[in-house]
Amino acid sequence: MTAQFEHISVLMEETIEALAIKPDGIYIDGTFGRGGHSGQILARLGEQGRLQAIDQDPQAIAAAQKYAADPRFNIAHKRFSAMRSVAEEAGILGQVDGILLDIGVSSPQLDDAARGFSFMKDGPLDMRMNPTAGRSAAEWLAEADLEEITHVIKEFGEEKFGRRIATKIIETRDANPITTTKQLAELVDLAVPVKDKFKHPATRTFQAIRIYINSELEEIQTALREALDVLKPGGRLVVISFHSLEDRIVKQFIKKQSKGEALPRGLPLTDAQIKQHLTLSAVGKAIKPSAAEIAQNPRARSSVLRVAQKL
């Protein structure tokens, strides 16, 4: 029997409001997870509405069976960066009223020790969002050289002791292959000379390796570009991110698409000529969870919601 792990969708009310759901609209939930947001979208759709969900995690696909009987719902077992092809296959390319991306690792993935995402529980060092594809974290750590491991930990984890940690990994793995989350967490703890009393020493390293293994930042960049083709004019792009690297990509993308490339002053262009290259308009400012939501769900504390509308 498969264990059930609770998942609380963050910024639920704010997300649903941002999507501005029309009863007969067409929506995409690019990160189905356990269906929290999808359920709320379906609850607001009429008989003619449609919801296309996407998720690469086989467990999420299994969880989606609870909506299998709903003719308005469909789910694709793919990465959300394949959004354009999913929309094309579904016959909704350029017709979508709203896209939701809730980026990052989900609570069920973190809480299931067998998935290898968390340093808090011992399990196989996997970290793949889709455990049927690609290399696991253990396989990558067994093969990568010092420079590559250092780069990943510093770049994606913003960990200042990245080289120390990478060196410890290299020194350890030949005699004792690193195959579990406990091994890696203990190794990082030994390698980090200065501890943060508010954060486990392995936090940044686990984040970095997870992001790299799943190509998460590239996935976001691709999905944001594809959203421009998938949305109809007036359609909403709603993105929830959980750390600065993700949020920076989303923020810069919306800014670029809503303001365009910086042009030299004095060019003989009208406002209309300048605006014809713009594709999005930012809707409001970044939204963060309330103190009440953080108290109920501490994992929501770092979440940021950004909204844009296609012009």
Side-chain angles (χ1 to χ4, degrees):
M1 182 176 178
T2 303
Q4 298 297 311
F5 298 95
E6 183 182 10
H7 177 65
I8 303 173
S9 298
V10 305
L11 294 162
M12 178 65 82
E13 292 181 12
E14 296 86 347
T15 297
I16 297 302
E17 182 179 349
L19 284 168
I21 296 169
K22 305 171 186 175
D24 61 348
I26 301 173
Y27 296 87
I28 290 179
D29 182 351
T31 45
F32 178 83
R34 293 301 180 267
H37 288 117
S38 280
Q40 291 299 314
I41 295 170
L42 286 169
R44 289 161 175 77
L45 290 178
E47 291 183 5
Q48 301 306 312
R50 292 180 65 181
L51 174 61
Q52 173 67 58
I54 304 170
D55 209 295
Q56 63 175 312
D57 189 335
Q59 292 182 2
I61 300 300
Q65 290 306 302
K66 61 187 173 185
Y67 298 130
D70 192 328
R72 304 169 302 169
F73 178 81
N74 187 52
I75 189 164
H77 184 199
K78 294 186 178 181
R79 293 171 175 256
F80 61 71
S81 61
M83 186 192 314
R84 192 185 192 284
S85 65
V86 170
E88 202 163 24
E89 289 170 14
I92 58 174
L93 185 64
Q95 302 174 40
V96 174
D97 293 280
I99 295 170
L100 168 63
L101 298 176
D102 183 359
I103 298 166
V105 65
S106 69
S107 291
Q109 290 169 331
L110 280 172
D111 293 337
D112 185 354
R115 300 300 300 271
F117 286 103
S118 176
F119 49 78
M120 302 299 289
K121 299 179 179 182
D122 194 23
L125 189 59
D126 195 309
M127 295 196 193
R128 288 172 294 175
M129 300 286 190
N130 181 359
T132 66
R135 288 187 299 175
S136 70
E139 290 169 334
W140 174 69
L141 285 177
E143 300 168 357
D145 62 24
L146 176 65
E147 294 305 321
E148 184 178 7
I149 297 172
T150 300
H151 171 75
V152 167
I153 296 174
K154 282 190 169 184
E155 183 73 15
F156 301 137
E158 300 177 300
E159 171 59 76
K160 62 182 177 181
F161 298 117
R163 180 165 287 273
R164 281 176 174 265
I165 295 167
T167 300
K168 189 70 174 175
I169 288 170
I170 298 292
E171 290 174 351
T172 302
R173 71 183 185 186
D174 293 336
N176 188 20
I178 304 163
T179 59
T180 72
T181 54
K182 183 180 179 181
Q183 280 179 287
L184 180 59
E186 290 178 346
L187 181 155
V188 174
D189 191 19
L190 290 172
V192 173
V194 180
K195 308 294 193 281
D196 181 340
K197 63 180 180 181
F198 298 109
K199 188 177 289 187
H200 190 287
T203 301
R204 293 186 180 91
T205 297
F206 269 67
Q207 170 189 295
I209 295 173
R210 187 204 84 217
I211 287 173
Y212 176 76
I213 289 296
N214 294 288
S215 303
E216 291 180 38
L217 302 187
E218 293 90 342
E219 286 284 298
I220 296 167
Q221 291 166 336
T222 300
L224 292 174
R225 290 193 300 270
E226 296 205 348
L228 298 177
D229 293 330
V230 174
L231 286 169
K232 66 192 257 188
R236 293 282 183 92
L237 173 63
V238 179
V239 185
I240 302 170
S241 55
F242 285 84
H243 62 74
S244 59
L245 294 176
E246 298 169 343
D247 184 53
R248 193 177 305 136
I249 290 171
V250 178
K251 180 181 179 180
Q252 290 176 350
F253 178 80
I254 293 175
K255 181 178 180 180
K256 179 180 178 181
Q257 298 302 323
S258 61
K259 293 188 176 180
E261 299 284 358
L263 297 173
R265 296 182 66 180
L267 283 182
L269 296 173
T270 65
D271 286 346
Q273 288 174 317
I274 293 172
K275 289 180 179 178
Q276 70 179 343
H277 299 292
L278 306 183
T279 58
L280 293 176
S281 174
V283 178
K285 296 181 179 180
I287 300 170
K288 297 186 179 181
S290 65
E293 178 171 1
I294 294 171
Q296 180 189 15
N297 179 18
R299 285 178 178 166
R301 66 185 177 275
S302 60
S303 60
V304 181
L305 173 67
R306 294 188 185 273
V307 186
Q309 185 164 302
K310 184 174 178 180
L311 298 172

